[in-house]
Every structure is written in structure tokens, then in C-alpha cells.
Amino acid sequence: PVVPLVKQMPNVFGKSREDAIAFLQSMNIEVSKIVLEASSFPAGLVVGQKPEADAPIDSETVVEIYVSNGQKPTYTKDYSIQFDVEKDDTAVKIVYVDGDKRTTMYDEKRPAGKLIATLSLDSKTQGAKTIIIYFDGEEIKRETVNIP
């Protein structure tokens, strides 16, 4: 097996399929599976990945990327969330969990102040989904969202 040049999975969310694959290959990370799926994002953009960004990886890790086919999913819900960021330069990450798939919806350093995010949650199934918010890598909030 090929040994990756990094120990954590990079974030390829929002990159084109081709750019994501080239980026991962440049770090000796092989993509094992590419899944096309319905998404409100433009066709060809990466909308999900396994393992999620920053997860530990090694030569045995199976890497999958999920690429938008440009078609709206069966179930979509816009979901707004707001919270206070207490200090400047806080790394804020919002992860959407749908079954065993984790999608990073937001991943940026933020100044102190109120953050309001509206997320477009896509799913092939109805029911309860989870939103997890991290500040500087520490989970600070977990919410359940129902996709009708």
C-alpha cells in the first residue's frame, strides 16, 4: 500500500472532482470510490467525503468522495443556526451527519461576534439528521434536524 504524505484527511469539499482527486493524489492519497449523488450544488463539485476532513488516515484508509450530479435531491431542508463566537480567530466547523455520511458544511476561522449560517441540507431519506458545531476542534453543540 501507498503511504500518505499526511496523517489527517484533507478537506476537499467544494473542489471540482478533478481538482480533489489531483490534490489527494499529490499527497499519496488514493480515492477508492467516487459516488455521484443528487445535490443542490453544481454538477462536478465535491459535496461529501469519507473520512471527513481532519480525520486520521494511513495506508489502509479507504477514501470516498461524493460528487454532485447537479440534480436536486429527493429531500432538502434549509436550516438556519446562530451562535456566538467568543474570541477572534476561532476555527468554526459545521458538520452535517446523514446516516454514516459526514459532510463539512462550513470550515473557516471567524472573528468574535454572532455567526448566522443557513445550511441547505440534502438527503435521500427523511427523518432525523444531526448538525455538529466545533470551535477550535472541540464539539460545542449538537442538534437534531428532522428532514420531512
Side-chain angles (χ1 to χ4, degrees):
V2 177
V3 177
L5 299 176
V6 293
K7 301 260 188 254
Q8 292 180 304
M9 180 67 183
N11 186 4
V12 294
F13 178 78
K15 293 184 182 293
S16 72
R17 172 184 170 161
E18 295 78 16
D19 287 350
I21 292 169
F23 178 65
L24 293 171
Q25 286 176 340
S26 74
M27 290 177 270
N28 286 349
I29 301 171
E30 291 300 318
V31 177
S32 303
K33 185 176 181 183
I34 299 169
V35 179
L36 287 177
E37 66 176 36
S39 169
S40 54
F41 288 95
L45 292 185
V46 175
V47 296
Q49 67 184 64
K50 283 186 194 173
E52 74 176 274
D54 300 325
I57 60 172
D58 60 26
S59 61
E60 303 298 319
T61 303
V62 175
V63 174
E64 299 177 9
I65 60 172
Y66 297 82
V67 178
S68 173
N69 64 8
Q71 298 174 357
K72 293 253 184 212
T74 306
Y75 304 101
T76 301
K77 179 175 183 164
D78 286 337
Y79 179 73
S80 291
I81 190 167
Q82 68 178 18
F83 45 89
D84 292 318
V85 177
E86 294 180 3
K87 63 181 174 86
D88 284 337
D89 260 359
T90 298
V92 177
K93 183 175 179 178
I94 302 174
V95 177
Y96 170 49
V97 182
D98 183 3
D100 67 347
K101 182 178 160 208
R102 298 169 68 92
T103 302
T104 300
M105 303 293 291
Y106 185 90
D107 192 1
E108 290 185 16
K109 287 200 178 243
R110 298 286 306 180
K114 187 168 291 301
L115 175 63
I116 300 172
T118 300
L119 311 172
S120 182
L121 307 178
D122 300 337
S123 182
K124 293 178 186 158
T125 60
Q126 295 173 294
K129 314 299 176 193
T130 304
I131 301 290
I132 306 170
I133 301 167
Y134 299 89
F135 282 3
D136 294 326
E138 181 179 330
E139 182 178 323
I140 60 137
K141 190 172 191 176
R142 183 177 288 248
E143 292 191 13
T144 300
V145 180
N146 191 46
I147 306 285

